[in-house]
Amino acid sequence: MPSPRNFDASFVRVLALACLALAGACGRSDVAPEPKQPVMTTLPTLKPPLPLEEAAAYPLPGVVGPQAITFTPDGRALVYLRSPERTLVRQLYRRDLKTGEESLLVAPPGGGATEDNLSLEEKLRRERLRQRELGITSYAWAEEGDTLLVPLTGKIYVKTPDDAELRLLVDPGPGKPALDARLSPDGRRVAYVHDDELYVVDVAGGAPKQLTSGARGTGKTNGLAEYIAQEEMHRPHGFWWSDDGKQLAFVEVDETHIPIYRIVHQGKDAVGEGAQEDHRYPFAGSPNARVRLGVVPVAGGRVTWMDLGEFEYLARVKWFPDGSLTAQLQDRAQKHHRLVRLDPRTGARSLLLEETGEPWYNLHDDLRPLEKGELAGGFVWSSERSGFRHLELRAGDGALIRELTHGTWPVDHVVAVDEERGRVYFTGWRDRPTEKQLFMVPLAGGGEIVQLTREPGVHDVVVDRAKRRFVDAHSSVQHPTRLSLRSLDDGKVLEELPGEDDPRLAGLDLPPPELLSFRNRHGDELWAAIYRPDPSASRADARGAPVPAGPPYPTLVQVYGGPHAQRVVDTWGSTVDMRAQALRSRGYLVIKIDNRGSARRGLAFEGAIHRDLGRVELEDQVDGVRHFAALGLIDPDRVGIYGWSYGGYLSAMAMVRHPDVFRLAVAGAPVTHWDGYDTHYTERYMGTPADNPDGYRESSVMAHAGQLRGALMLVHGLIDENVHFRHTSRLIGALIRARKAYELLLFPDERHMPRGLEDRVHMEEQILAFMQKHLG
């Protein structure tokens, strides 16, 4: 097993073997040297491998600068989260754009959020948001005015111009936190959910007012998004303020008919209450939560329920400036999508537009209502009708006025709409799918699309309220995020903004991966990231003799491969893939490939996996291995694969569908049978188990367990509420029945995203030892 605080075992072994070779069997005088052979007097220069603690640590190297950046309402300053200690514990800072002076705006009272002082409800919301950060984890400005909201540890804090410091507004007491606090547009009130009911409180102070009833103690909730809305629809909220701040739309969620799935905390000393969790989990093909949309006056009064029709999924809710409410609805099969307008007084519904997606309809957040001039009442919308997401202008009745963008490239999402100047700003790519750039297109149509950022890499942008400037957070595989203040007119840099130096970078060898493309067996262009071993690295061969690092390399394929994700991206995050760097530093070639099914390449590319998961994705991974083996980079007899979640699924499936290609796999938190995953995600790609029984059977790892030939390690957290440990357990049963060996690594106190540092270090140690044992 590798030592976590020194060089790993293979490096020590190589060094010892080098000593034997150089010192003539370490001082054995009876062994004569070969005649005329030069005598080496110095050891070769060998770089120590990346310590496994670094592979497990967060924040990642170079990712310590300002996060969650916003402009202050007056545009004079930037506000952002950062950690002065360069840890995960963050505070809120303000930087004056005129003087450049930085000041601490808010420090978290009592240390802020920690993993120990969060309620179960808050921990589960953090899982849905994939959030690791602590201290102050979120904040928000009112849309009008300069009231600041900071939710912390189930309490609600605010800061107004009249407050010298952060002020506690709501403290519901232990056990039942205030969830999803949100400011009214004018900043005068805060709405939140407490004990399954919706409340509102004046920012000036006073007693909170309960607006809903009937959910508490019944298994229902008012104002909270259901599990699949948070996890799969990317709808984190369950209530929405009207523009005038006088009404709240909210969802009532009824899950009482969904059977309980119990998760026992097997690693705890205690038993019973507090050592188990009960979840209402909607498995594929089974009933979903029943969701209603209501509108309630903030002053209190009767709830008006909206007519949503027969479609099962409430995907998006948005108020329009004229006081009407809109909702985006999906059918169960996720092929039909409706945008409807709702009358908050009567609940009456009228259709604005309906679209059909094939093989499925992808949700988006590009609805932008317009309220000025001849376009008032209309809206900006995006559609994948052409096979690629593009922007269009719609009239108030939903009729298409004009297309704003088109081409064989996709828009990512709308960033801002400037009605005064008639401009829409959006991100996307046009030349290389590994990049993300900022563009502008005229609302009037017919104008040329203007690219406002041009530096290779990924540009994440934040636009000020006046829509004249933006902060550009730009990174690439070559450098960490650099911040600049730029003009929305032409993208010109107005000011380079200071970031945060990370002293760890000076002591770490983190060469960027190479990003390149190749063609699969069908002629599709696929992109790959290649992490080459360090030329000075050395490893031991099968007999324990030192072998210099050089091609062909023993290779590890790092895979995710699932839909709605992209892993080969020109961003600093690709460079600080620390497990890939740790393996590279130990003489392994690491390769990532975005196979068919992954995001940002259009519907046809993404939809190739429809109703048959785990086949097309692995064809492309195998084609990548064979392509780079033909170039002399990969030793085809020493190839492994590893991944987490969907990547864990593909890693396990690779071992049973392509045992001739892969010698080992590490499958982390794998889905092993799609009938055990949730409705909205699974049925989008697979249909239901009833209408696609063959697809579900063939896409299950268990169906092919008898084909396993190489070494398989299964890794799982026992309290994973997303991909239940049941998946790994079912696969183990199939492997036992097939008399196939496996290795098992369990974490009793981890969910889907391992958080404990000790757990992560141990995981890296065990995975590395497994790879060295079976791949050399």
Side-chain angles (χ1 to χ4, degrees):
M1 179 185 296
S3 168
R5 301 193 180 277
N6 299 289
F7 299 163
D8 78 332
S10 64
F11 179 76
V12 174
R13 185 169 65 251
V14 168
L15 194 59
L17 290 167
C19 172
L20 286 172
L22 293 171
C26 288
R28 283 180 56 191
S29 58
D30 58 325
V31 179
E34 292 287 335
K36 299 182 180 180
Q37 286 282 67
V39 178
M40 296 178 66
T41 58
T42 59
L43 288 171
T45 301
L46 300 178
K47 287 185 180 179
L50 184 76
L52 294 181
E53 292 92 342
E54 293 289 353
Y58 286 93
L60 296 169
V63 189
V64 296
Q67 306 286 325
I69 300 170
T70 63
F71 285 87
T72 54
D74 60 12
R76 296 178 181 175
L78 297 177
V79 173
Y80 46 83
L81 297 171
R82 75 171 180 87
S83 169
E85 295 83 18
R86 303 185 184 92
T87 68
L88 288 174
V89 182
R90 303 190 301 183
Q91 300 177 1
L92 192 61
Y93 285 82
R94 180 185 188 274
R95 177 175 293 278
D96 189 293
L97 287 173
K98 184 176 181 179
T99 65
E101 180 184 358
E102 182 187 68
S103 57
L104 177 63
L105 187 61
V106 176
T114 70
E115 294 291 353
D116 296 327
N117 66 7
L118 292 172
S119 66
L120 175 62
E121 293 91 340
E122 292 171 294
K123 289 179 179 179
L124 294 177
R125 286 184 68 84
R126 282 165 57 80
E127 284 291 310
R128 303 287 74 76
L129 296 170
R130 305 296 191 264
Q131 189 176 76
R132 292 186 185 275
E133 292 77 16
L134 299 165
I136 296 179
T137 57
S138 65
Y139 72 97
W141 295 102
E143 294 178 18
E144 305 165 13
D146 45 11
T147 301
L148 180 67
L149 170 73
V150 180
L152 273 173
T153 63
K155 304 173 185 177
I156 301 173
Y157 294 82
V158 293
K159 190 175 188 300
T160 70
D162 296 329
D163 295 317
E165 57 187 23
L166 206 61
R167 170 166 53 90
L168 178 63
L169 182 65
V170 176
D171 182 359
K176 297 291 183 180
L179 297 173
D180 197 20
R182 303 177 73 191
L183 279 163
S184 62
D186 60 11
R188 295 174 56 193
R189 297 181 178 89
V190 176
Y192 63 96
V193 177
H194 169 61
D195 200 9
D196 298 331
E197 301 289 2
L198 184 62
Y199 285 76
V200 66
V201 62
D202 288 344
V203 166
K209 179 189 296 182
Q210 182 176 332
L211 296 181
T212 63
S213 61
R216 181 172 297 141
T218 67
K220 300 178 182 180
T221 60
N222 282 322
L224 289 179
E226 70 274 26
Y227 171 83
I228 59 169
Q230 295 183 47
E231 179 67 29
E232 311 300 2
M233 298 185 206
H234 304 288
R235 174 170 66 78
H237 304 301
F239 67 86
W240 300 266
W241 282 101
S242 63
D243 288 12
D244 61 9
K246 295 180 179 180
Q247 300 178 92
L248 281 162
F250 71 96
V251 293
E252 177 198 73
V253 175
D254 181 0
E255 297 178 316
T256 56
H257 57 287
I258 300 177
I260 288 174
Y261 185 84
R262 176 162 291 175
I263 296 176
V264 179
H265 290 240
Q266 302 281 9
K268 289 190 180 296
D269 295 333
V271 296
E273 187 175 355
Q276 63 189 35
E277 301 171 15
D278 289 343
H279 296 266
R280 305 277 186 175
Y281 191 97
F283 292 102
S286 66
N288 275 308
R290 300 187 185 109
V291 177
R292 292 201 294 173
L293 179 64
V295 173
V296 63
V298 171
R302 181 178 62 87
V303 173
T304 303
W305 296 104
M306 303 295 105
D307 175 13
L308 299 181
E310 74 278 14
F311 278 12
E312 187 151 342
Y313 292 122
L314 175 62
R316 300 286 186 270
V317 176
K318 192 176 189 68
W319 290 90
F320 266 38
D322 65 1
S324 64
L325 188 63
T326 64
Q328 295 182 47
L329 310 170
Q330 271 192 324
D331 71 334
R332 177 79 181 239
Q334 299 179 62
K335 292 178 180 290
H336 300 282
H337 188 85
R338 290 175 181 165
L339 174 64
V340 299
R341 191 186 298 274
L342 303 163
D343 186 335
R345 298 166 299 176
T346 66
R349 166 174 51 95
S350 59
L351 181 66
L352 286 176
L353 64 89
E354 184 165 0
E355 292 189 313
T356 300
E358 188 60 47
W360 56 73
Y361 184 95
N362 287 314
L363 297 173
H364 64 84
D365 292 295
D366 294 330
L367 174 60
R368 294 292 192 277
L370 304 173
E371 55 181 326
K372 296 180 180 179
E374 61 181 17
L375 296 177
F379 53 92
V380 173
W381 180 254
S382 75
S383 173
E384 287 183 297
R385 191 171 54 255
S386 68
F388 292 87
R389 182 164 301 285
H390 282 291
L391 302 180
E392 50 193 39
L393 182 62
R394 296 263 176 176
D397 61 359
L400 177 65
I401 298 176
R402 67 181 67 97
E403 293 180 339
L404 299 177
T405 65
H406 64 275
T408 55
W409 52 273
V411 167
D412 285 333
H413 66 271
V414 173
V415 173
V417 177
D418 184 349
E419 291 191 64
E420 290 184 358
R421 296 198 288 176
R423 298 176 175 182
V424 181
Y425 301 93
F426 66 92
T427 55
W429 66 267
R430 296 182 73 182
D431 299 321
R432 288 166 62 106
T434 57
E435 296 190 349
K436 180 165 75 169
Q437 304 284 352
L438 178 65
F439 300 88
M440 183 276 290
V441 63
L443 264 174
E448 182 180 353
I449 295 174
V450 178
Q451 184 171 335
L452 296 174
T453 55
R454 294 196 173 274
E455 301 84 355
V458 167
H459 296 261
D460 290 310
V461 302
V462 178
V463 176
D464 69 358
R465 289 191 180 186
K467 298 181 178 65
R468 293 295 185 270
R469 300 166 299 168
F470 68 97
V471 172
D472 178 23
H474 169 231
S475 82
S476 75
V477 294
Q478 302 293 337
H479 62 80
T481 297
R482 296 170 179 168
L483 300 175
S484 60
L485 185 67
R486 306 176 77 151
S487 167
L488 267 177
D489 288 328
D490 53 14
K492 180 180 178 181
V493 175
L494 304 175
E495 180 185 356
E496 299 288 352
L497 300 172
E500 180 87 19
D501 293 331
D502 190 340
R504 288 181 298 169
L505 290 176
L508 295 173
D509 182 29
L510 300 174
E514 304 165 56
L515 306 183
L516 41 85
S517 67
F518 67 96
R519 299 277 174 182
N520 68 5
R521 67 190 72 179
H522 304 289
D524 301 301
E525 184 182 40
L526 305 179
W527 282 83
I530 305 294
Y531 299 76
R532 291 179 186 257
D534 194 299
S536 68
S538 188
R539 58 181 175 79
D541 66 13
R543 296 172 297 176
V547 180
Y553 301 105
T555 298
L556 287 156
V557 176
Q558 194 256 60
V559 65
Y560 180 79
H564 285 85
Q566 183 186 21
R567 289 295 181 265
V568 182
V569 188
D570 188 3
T571 181
W572 181 247
S574 296
T575 297
V576 289
D577 180 333
M578 298 304 282
R579 182 183 292 170
Q581 291 285 4
L583 293 169
R584 178 206 62 79
S585 74
R586 288 164 170 82
Y588 297 101
L589 180 83
V590 179
I591 179 172
K592 298 180 187 177
I593 298 167
D594 277 337
N595 49 254
R596 285 170 293 162
S598 32
R600 301 184 77 230
R601 296 289 302 277
L603 265 178
F605 188 90
E606 185 181 21
I609 63 175
H610 190 219
R611 295 173 71 87
D612 186 17
L613 301 183
R615 182 180 61 83
V616 164
E617 308 96 311
L618 289 173
E619 279 185 5
D620 288 350
Q621 299 293 328
V622 168
D623 286 356
V625 169
R626 289 172 176 163
H627 172 80
F628 292 108
L631 296 179
L633 276 177
I634 290 176
D635 180 349
D637 295 323
R638 305 175 74 190
V639 179
I641 187 169
Y642 68 92
W644 196 267
S645 196
Y646 200 102
Y649 162 65
L650 288 183
S651 296
M653 189 65 96
M655 294 300 292
V656 296
R657 277 195 158 160
H658 298 282
D660 57 322
V661 176
F662 299 102
R663 183 172 170 179
L664 69 80
V666 177
V671 174
T672 60
H673 197 310
W674 289 102
D675 67 2
Y677 203 58
D678 71 52
T679 52
H680 194 270
Y681 183 94
T682 307
E683 294 172 13
R684 183 188 314 145
Y685 311 119
M686 289 290 291
T688 66
D691 70 33
N692 186 20
D694 293 342
Y696 272 80
R697 182 181 60 255
E698 289 302 306
S699 294
S700 166
V701 185
M702 281 85 84
H704 312 280
Q707 304 304 310
L708 177 67
R709 291 211 304 267
L712 174 63
M713 171 181 273
L714 300 169
V715 188
H716 221 124
L718 289 183
I719 60 171
D720 188 336
E721 85 296 339
N722 182 351
V723 181
H724 304 136
F725 173 65
R726 170 175 176 251
H727 284 274
T728 288
S729 186
R730 291 172 75 187
L731 177 55
I732 288 171
L735 293 171
I736 290 171
R737 290 189 292 274
R739 298 186 179 180
K740 298 294 182 179
Y742 63 92
E743 294 190 27
L744 184 62
L745 180 59
L746 299 179
F747 293 92
D749 298 318
E750 293 291 1
R751 299 188 184 276
H752 196 58
M753 188 173 74
R755 295 176 180 274
L757 178 59
E758 297 84 358
D759 287 350
R760 295 198 305 272
V761 171
H762 181 70
M763 179 169 65
E764 297 303 327
E765 290 174 343
Q766 297 304 307
I767 288 174
L768 177 61
F770 174 79
M771 291 174 172
Q772 291 173 329
K773 175 182 176 182
H774 295 285
L775 211 59

